[in-house]
């Protein structure tokens, strides 16, 4: 791979997070800055996938563009993903990349920490994702999903996306915060929704009446809730994720501070919520549009030999390879995090281009997942691409819905577990279909979702 760091150490400006003046030191990178003021913001928003594909055709896999007032360099393809995600020379800051979007509302979440500090926090949190706690979360997911899907209407068209969004939020309440959260949940839920909406708001100042204003108020409420709950959770225990973090320790055995727990909890809830909603929505759409695969997946679930209303046992999660392949293929076509931002804190070279310290860069799972060299007939839904043999032959960074390297999604196993648990309860009860010729329009960025909510019909399976 044509990669080399120009090891002059991080400059003061880069370490402080300053980006180079728009376009100035990047004139040697192919590309342009687009229209005055707006740059490429509008075409990027209108068609994020087409925009990147057009520019890759025009300029190649390393190009410069300007959107939302910032010049950045796109690094496309599996080699670029490997360079940025593995980051063996500690060149790419996740904090400075995600900071502009997430810092105000989700400060000091794992993606907002870098290098050694990040490693310490990640190690402290990972206790909450070990198999013991995961089994307790699965028990909550089983109960919550069975109850939730039982309420969905049958025999008429209904909008799947808002329904599964609500379900995911309710599941977060029990698996993340504990079943006994009680009446405060409605306020916590509203606050959380306001924070997530604000993180991608165009107006970044927390002015009254703006999304950011509501988001900042939401954060204050949630932090207050966590602060009040931490001593109670430590006293009475509990198997939910919040209670796990209340007991989590640093390497020296001391407990995490209240502020750390509050920051990590809000970040975890945010990281889980829209990604699960998006991936389950595109999964159900693909199953509805590909009834042959829906039958295969249902057949695999029934082959477990469990009664229809039994919970899915933790020990059977690995017995669902077709379900996993079908879910992966849905995430290939619509990765819930379509692009990942970083900022270089040292000079680095990639494919012969020098990328100076302070440059904002982006890698792009959405683009990589549609490269015809890696995925023949890329628009076709074909879960057999994830059969063990086929997967072994592909570049390790060709499929990156969960990122990779130090910041690889900490909730990856949780996500697969929830997807399998959802599929178990959903396909056991329902046959899902869409109207003939229906092709919902997806907004692919910042997180893919069907603009019309995805109309499906559920009939008894
Ligand atoms: C289908 C569902 C999900 C997808 C596609 C997804 C995707 C991702 C991606 C791409 C990253 C890396 C971002 C980067 O490197 O810039 C990430 C990080 C993260 N995700 Fe997920 N995620 C999912 C579900 C979850 C769930 C359920 C949780 C928690 C229970 C979670 C917690 C996290 C955390 C804590 C990080 C930060 C890790 C770090 O910086 O060390 N995610 N996720």
């Amino acid at each position: 791979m044509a990669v080399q760091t120009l090891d002059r150490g991080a400059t003061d400006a880069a370490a402080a997070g300053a980006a180079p003046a728009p376009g100035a030191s990047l004139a040697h990178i192919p590309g342009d800055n687009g229209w005055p003021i707006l740059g490429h913001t509008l075409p990027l928003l209108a068609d994020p996938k087409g925009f990147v594909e057009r520019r890759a055709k025009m300029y190649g896999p390393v190009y410069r563009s300007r959107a939302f007032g910032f010049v950045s360099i796109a690094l496309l393809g599996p080699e670029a993903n490997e360079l940025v995600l593995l980051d063996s020379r500690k060149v790419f800051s996740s904090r400075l990349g995600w900071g502009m979007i997430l810092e105000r509302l989700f400060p000091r979440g794992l993606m907002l920490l870098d290098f050694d500090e990040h490693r310490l926090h990640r190690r402290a949190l990972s206790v909450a994702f070990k198999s013991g706690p995961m089994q307790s979360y699965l028990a909550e997911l089983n109960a919550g999903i069975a109850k939730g899907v039982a309420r969905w209407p049958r025999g008429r068209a209904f909008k799947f996306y808002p329904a599964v969004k609500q379900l995911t939020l309710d599941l977060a309440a029990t698996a993340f915060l504990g079943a006994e959260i009680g009446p405060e949940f409605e306020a916590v839920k509203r606050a959380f929704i306001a924070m997530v909406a604000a993180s991608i708001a165009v107006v970044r100042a927390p002015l009254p009446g703006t999304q950011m204003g509501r988001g900042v108020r939401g954060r204050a409420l949630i932090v207050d809730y966590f602060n009040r709950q931490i001593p109670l959770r430590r006293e009475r225990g509990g198997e939910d994720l919040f209670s796990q973090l209340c007991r989590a320790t640093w390497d020296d055995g001391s407990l995490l501070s209240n502020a750390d727990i509050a920051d990590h909890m809000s970040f975890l809830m945010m990281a889980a919520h829209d990604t699960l909603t998006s991936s389950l929505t595109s999964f159900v759409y693909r199953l509805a549009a590909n009834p042959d695969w829906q039958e295969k997946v249902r057949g695999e679930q029934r082959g477990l030999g469990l009664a229809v209303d039994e919970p899915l046992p933790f020990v059977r999660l690995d017995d669902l390879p077709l379900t996993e392949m079908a879910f992966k293929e849905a995430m290939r076509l619509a990765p819930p995090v379509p692009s990942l931002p970083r900022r270089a804190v040292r000079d680095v070279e990639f494919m012969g281009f020098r990328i100076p310290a302070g440059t904002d860069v982006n890698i792009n799972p959405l683009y990589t997942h549609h490269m015809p060299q890696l995925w023949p007939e890329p628009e076709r839904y074909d879960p057999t691409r994830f059969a063990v043999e086929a997967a072994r032959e592909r570049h390790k960074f060709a499929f990156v819905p969960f990122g990779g390297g130090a910041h690889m999604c900490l909730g990856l196993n949780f996500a697969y577990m929830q997807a399998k648990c959802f599929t178990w309860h959903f396909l056991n009860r329902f046959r899902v279909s869409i109207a003939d010729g229906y092709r919902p329009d997806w907004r692919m960025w910042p997180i893919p979702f069907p603009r019309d909510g995805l109309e499906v019909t559920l009939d008894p399976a």
Side-chain angles (χ1 to χ4, degrees):
M1 195 197 346
V3 178
Q4 182 195 346
T5 35
L6 307 176
D7 217 350
R8 291 177 207 142
T11 63
D12 287 349
S25 55
L26 300 176
H28 61 290
I29 308 274
D32 61 274
N33 285 351
W35 294 344
I37 302 172
L38 286 175
H40 301 100
T41 309
L42 298 182
L44 176 66
L45 282 178
D47 177 13
K49 178 168 170 282
F51 173 78
V52 175
E53 286 172 349
R54 283 194 301 280
R55 289 185 72 80
K57 235 183 218 141
M58 230 178 332
Y59 297 117
V62 177
Y63 69 78
R64 166 170 54 95
S65 52
R66 188 164 63 105
F68 309 105
F70 293 91
V71 175
S72 68
I73 307 294
L75 303 174
L76 300 178
E79 288 82 10
N81 299 342
E82 182 170 9
L83 167 75
V84 171
L85 294 173
L86 272 192
D87 195 20
S88 49
R89 307 289 304 272
K90 297 194 165 84
V91 170
F92 296 103
S93 163
S94 176
R95 176 174 77 82
L96 298 174
W98 283 106
M100 197 191 72
I101 308 167
L102 298 176
E103 184 104 58
R104 187 190 280 272
L105 294 157
F106 300 98
R108 297 189 61 74
L110 274 189
M111 262 151 60
L112 280 300
L113 299 173
D114 279 328
F115 311 129
D116 291 347
E117 185 184 30
H118 166 259
R119 197 162 37 80
L120 285 178
H121 280 253
R122 185 158 168 132
R123 207 155 55 213
L125 263 57
S126 56
V127 55
F129 293 90
K130 296 213 183 312
S131 95
M134 291 285 278
Q135 296 192 35
S136 320
Y137 310 151
L138 182 59
E140 296 296 347
L141 293 179
N142 266 308
I145 293 172
K147 202 166 117 200
V149 301
R151 287 199 289 257
W152 289 352
R154 284 141 223 243
R156 65 170 170 83
F158 97 117
K159 293 206 185 280
F160 180 81
Y161 175 71
V164 80
K165 199 173 168 81
Q166 180 62 47
L167 176 64
T168 309
L169 203 53
D170 291 342
L171 294 173
T174 51
F176 283 36
L177 298 177
E180 67 288 355
I181 172 171
E184 268 190 285
F185 178 53
E186 283 308 315
V188 169
K189 194 162 78 175
R190 275 196 304 276
F192 174 66
I193 290 171
M195 287 165 74
V196 174
S199 61
I200 49 170
V202 180
V203 179
R204 306 303 294 172
L207 303 171
T210 60
Q211 274 185 323
M212 187 55 89
R214 286 190 288 278
V216 167
R217 274 206 313 281
R219 175 172 163 77
L221 185 142
I222 281 204
V223 168
D224 175 61
Y225 169 76
F226 286 136
N227 275 326
R228 283 185 287 110
Q229 285 284 317
I230 290 167
L232 304 177
R233 301 289 175 126
R234 285 193 173 137
E235 210 175 283
R236 74 163 186 240
E239 297 311 314
D240 55 278
L241 200 149
F242 179 32
S243 302
Q244 300 286 345
L245 287 200
C246 291
R247 296 196 294 270
T249 57
W250 302 111
D251 287 354
D252 67 2
S254 59
L255 291 165
L256 271 63
S257 70
N258 284 14
D260 281 329
I261 295 171
D263 286 339
H264 285 309
M265 269 311 294
S266 355
F267 185 86
L268 278 163
M269 286 169 62
M270 182 276 296
H273 178 60
D274 274 347
T275 49
L276 280 168
T277 304
S278 172
S279 56
L280 290 177
T281 304
S282 45
F283 186 34
V284 163
Y285 167 60
R286 297 292 166 183
L287 293 177
N290 297 274
D292 52 333
W293 267 99
Q294 186 179 153
E295 275 319 307
K296 277 188 201 153
V297 173
R298 184 179 290 109
E300 178 176 77
Q301 306 267 340
R302 293 200 164 154
L304 292 178
L306 303 167
V308 168
D309 52 2
E310 249 182 276
L312 177 65
F314 189 75
V315 289
R316 304 305 301 275
L317 287 172
D318 287 341
D319 298 338
L320 297 167
L322 291 181
T323 308
E324 188 166 317
M325 284 159 60
F327 180 58
K328 282 181 169 165
E329 177 67 344
M331 283 194 295
R332 178 186 71 79
L333 287 159
V337 191
S339 68
L340 312 184
R342 296 286 191 270
R343 185 174 294 169
V345 294
R346 301 164 197 269
D347 290 1
V348 60
E349 195 175 296
F350 180 64
M351 289 188 166
F353 294 103
R354 183 176 153 275
I355 299 165
T359 304
D360 288 319
V361 302
N362 275 288
I363 55 168
N364 199 304
L366 180 61
Y367 176 88
T368 315
H369 289 183
H370 288 81
M371 286 172 75
Q373 311 88 300
L374 299 169
W375 312 97
E377 291 184 73
E379 301 304 331
R380 196 159 65 88
Y381 180 74
D382 176 10
T384 63
R385 301 179 202 267
F386 291 96
V388 177
E389 277 305 304
R392 196 176 290 141
E393 279 162 27
R394 257 190 316 267
H395 193 292
K396 277 200 320 291
F397 287 81
F399 180 64
V400 284
F402 295 103
H407 287 278
M408 158 103 85
C409 178
L410 186 61
L412 179 152
N413 291 326
F414 190 108
Y416 281 121
M417 181 169 85
Q418 180 158 335
K420 287 176 178 173
C421 185
F422 172 79
T423 314
W424 164 252
H425 292 282
F426 183 71
L427 287 188
N428 254 328
R429 287 175 174 78
F430 305 125
R431 193 167 303 277
V432 57
S433 60
I434 48 175
D436 285 348
Y438 172 55
R439 293 276 171 276
D441 181 22
W442 290 74
R443 192 174 122 179
M444 293 306 276
W445 194 87
I447 293 185
F449 74 94
R451 288 181 205 271
D452 68 351
L454 184 65
E455 285 222 335
V456 302
T457 302
L458 307 180
D459 290 299

